[in-house]
Amino acid sequence: METHIITITYRECAAVYGLSETDLREFTEFGLVQRAEAPDTILAEPDHLARLARLQHDLGLSPEGVDIVLAMRQRLLSLQAELQRQQARAAQLERLLGGSAPTFDID
């Protein structure tokens, strides 16, 4: 999956995503977006900016709340990836055993 990082000014971000300069400054303080080299610009993925805007506007979350939700989302994504890895390992083990061992259904 490719990541597309854009450089966007605070003004452009306000027009496109509805995030004010104050919001963006708070988000950079929390590390939710990265400052770019040019003044009053940030580096971010468009999907990430849209997610920030939805969390703030639709749910009315503060920057601290947005930070918590995004941390929980990241944890969920890592747990899902680990579950997929473990399922693949279990399937590999089952293929290796070739049905020669008894299987148990665990509820």
Side-chain angles (χ1 to χ4, degrees):
M1 183 172 170
E2 273 188 52
T3 301
H4 298 285
I5 304 291
I6 61 170
T7 302
I8 189 168
T9 66
Y10 291 152
R11 183 173 295 183
E12 291 169 331
C13 199
V16 175
Y17 300 100
L19 295 169
S20 70
E21 183 176 335
T22 304
D23 297 335
L24 292 169
R25 290 190 192 286
E26 289 178 349
F27 290 149
T28 55
E29 283 180 30
F30 282 99
L32 299 174
V33 293
Q34 182 181 355
R35 286 188 180 99
E37 290 184 23
D40 295 332
T41 58
I42 58 169
L43 296 170
E45 292 179 63
D47 290 346
H48 182 65
L49 290 172
R51 191 175 298 114
L52 289 174
R54 280 195 313 268
L55 288 169
Q56 186 176 44
H57 297 299
D58 295 351
L59 298 178
L61 297 177
S62 67
E64 296 90 352
V66 171
D67 184 36
I68 291 168
V69 169
L70 291 177
M72 290 185 332
R73 179 182 182 274
Q74 187 59 45
R75 179 72 176 139
L76 177 64
L77 291 174
S78 70
L79 288 171
Q80 288 173 333
E82 179 62 19
L83 176 61
Q84 287 178 341
R85 190 176 77 78
Q86 293 297 334
Q87 287 173 330
R89 290 184 69 203
Q92 183 182 31
L93 182 59
E94 287 173 358
R95 284 191 303 277
L96 179 67
L97 294 174
S100 62
T103 57
F104 302 97
D105 287 329
I106 299 174
D107 292 324

